Amino acid sequence: MLHSKGVQWMLLATLCFTVMNAFVKAVAHLPALEVVMFRSWISLLLTWGLLWRKQIPYWGNNKRVLLLRGAFGVIALSLFFTTLQHIPLAGAALLQYLAPIFTTILAFWWLGERVYRVQWLLFALCFAGVVVVKYTDARIDWFYLGLGVLSAFFSALAYTCIRKLKNSEHPLVIVFYFPLISVPITTLLVLPLWVWPSGWDWLHLLAIGLLTQVAQTLMTKAYQAEAAAHVSAVNYVGIVYALLLGWIFFGEYIAWGALIGVALVLIGVLLNLSVASWYPPLKKRLWPATKPKPKQTA
């Protein structure tokens, strides 16, 4: 499976996202909104250039949902960067893995997609894992834990909008609406909080923007080259990257008890992602349908 181009691209994309997160943590002395603003400006210029080169109309068709996708994305990223700057790298990354859980719930409520009963148990397993991590890692307080969970929820709202737009919009247009909304909002809000970057900060901020663009490109190529079920699971290697980078560059450790919480979250999420393939056959084997007995005639 590792010889698959799709899997290789997803491994690289996940590494790029994790390194980008490490750069965000490296500029923790800058306001999170300021980091989001710099990332958004870089994304805006790069995405606008790609749309112009490919002669794709900028504004899309379903503007209301596109605007919602952009707004939800801004809130999610701002909350995530704030969380990332105040708790260990692996802890912040773990909280983001709740996003697929919220996406499933929102798709059930908004898009009418099916949710199996067993999935609600798996949702509970994921949240139990988060609680275990919180109580076994004293560096994570309830406030930033809550911000991380909220970030995952708003990410799920953005993902649900993307699913709503998949048949009406070009992927680049969907990407374009995030910086289109983010740039004016963050530029205005960050003015009272502004801290001038210095020295290596400029390189770190540039790397954050470029790595995000590279990661999104690699992720798109991965989904185009391989079945989604195969490559989406690879994304969860990111927790391993986060543990290693947090330990190497920031001296972060993870308690053995917290590893149990990490395992619970990953098991819950991965089983949820594949529930449509394994649950119906298992249910049929455990609880086979019984045919009604024919009525006896006198």
Side-chain angles (χ1 to χ4, degrees), residues 12-32:
L12 286 173
T14 305
L15 178 60
C16 287
F17 276 125
T18 310
V19 174
M20 183 270 290
N21 291 342
F23 278 122
V24 173
K25 199 164 185 65
V27 292
H29 53 284
L30 300 178

Side-chain angles (χ1 to χ4, degrees), residues 47-61 168-174 176:
T47 310
W48 175 82
L50 288 170
L51 287 168
W52 177 79
R53 192 180 71 178
K54 294 176 180 291
Q55 296 297 300
I56 299 169
Y58 302 117
W59 310 119
N61 301 305
S168 64
E169 309 296 340
H170 191 281
L172 277 176
V173 174
I174 298 173
F176 181 63

